[in-house]
């Protein structure tokens, strides 16, 4: 039971069927506290703790990482949402 708890959560948030409002979020947490988060609407990493601010500064300097994260709406979110939605809608 003693130890550390670290995880990354990826989310695709949207409310319209054409995905025009889709947002990609990547949250890095430690011991249930979000340290840093990427939001595709903001277009950069934002730190929420002292350590998270340091991580965000380093992540935001990496142009390849930023481009990959910004592209995740089109490369990760939309294809998965379309696949999931078509399975659900076709069964209704």
């Amino acid at each position: 039971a003693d130890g550390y708890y670290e995880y990354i959560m990826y989310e695709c948030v949207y409310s319209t069927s054409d995905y025009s409002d889709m947002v990609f979020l990547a949250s890095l947490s430690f011991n249930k506290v979000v340290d840093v988060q990427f939001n595709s609407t903001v277009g950069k990493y934002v730190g929420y703790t002292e350590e998270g601010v340091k991580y965000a500064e380093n992540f935001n300097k990496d142009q390849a990482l930023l481009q990959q994260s910004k592209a995740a709406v089109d490369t990760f979110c939309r294809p998965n949402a379309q696949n999931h939605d078509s399975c659900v809608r076709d069964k209704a």
Side-chain angles (χ1 to χ4, degrees):
D2 293 333
Y4 299 105
Y5 186 66
E6 183 178 28
Y7 63 98
I8 300 172
M9 182 168 50
Y10 301 107
E11 297 177 85
C12 300
V13 181
Y14 61 98
S15 61
T16 60
S17 60
D18 66 354
Y19 313 122
S20 61
D21 64 342
M22 186 170 279
V23 177
F24 171 71
L25 302 171
S27 303
L28 289 78
S29 301
F30 182 75
N31 285 350
K32 300 182 183 180
V33 175
V34 176
D35 286 322
V36 64
Q37 183 180 62
F38 177 83
N39 180 323
S40 63
T41 303
V42 176
K44 65 179 185 175
Y45 286 85
V46 176
Y48 296 105
T49 64
E50 186 176 338
E51 285 296 313
V53 170
K54 293 175 188 176
Y55 292 144
E57 288 173 0
N58 287 327
F59 292 157
N60 289 328
K61 290 177 187 175
D62 186 341
Q63 291 302 310
L65 177 62
L66 274 181
Q67 291 304 317
Q68 181 181 2
S69 299
K70 290 176 183 179
V73 169
D74 295 319
T75 60
F76 176 73
C77 291
R78 280 198 181 92
N80 286 303
Q82 290 168 341
N83 185 40
H84 179 264
D85 288 353
S86 68
C87 292
V88 173
R89 288 192 184 121
D90 292 347
K91 306 297 183 231

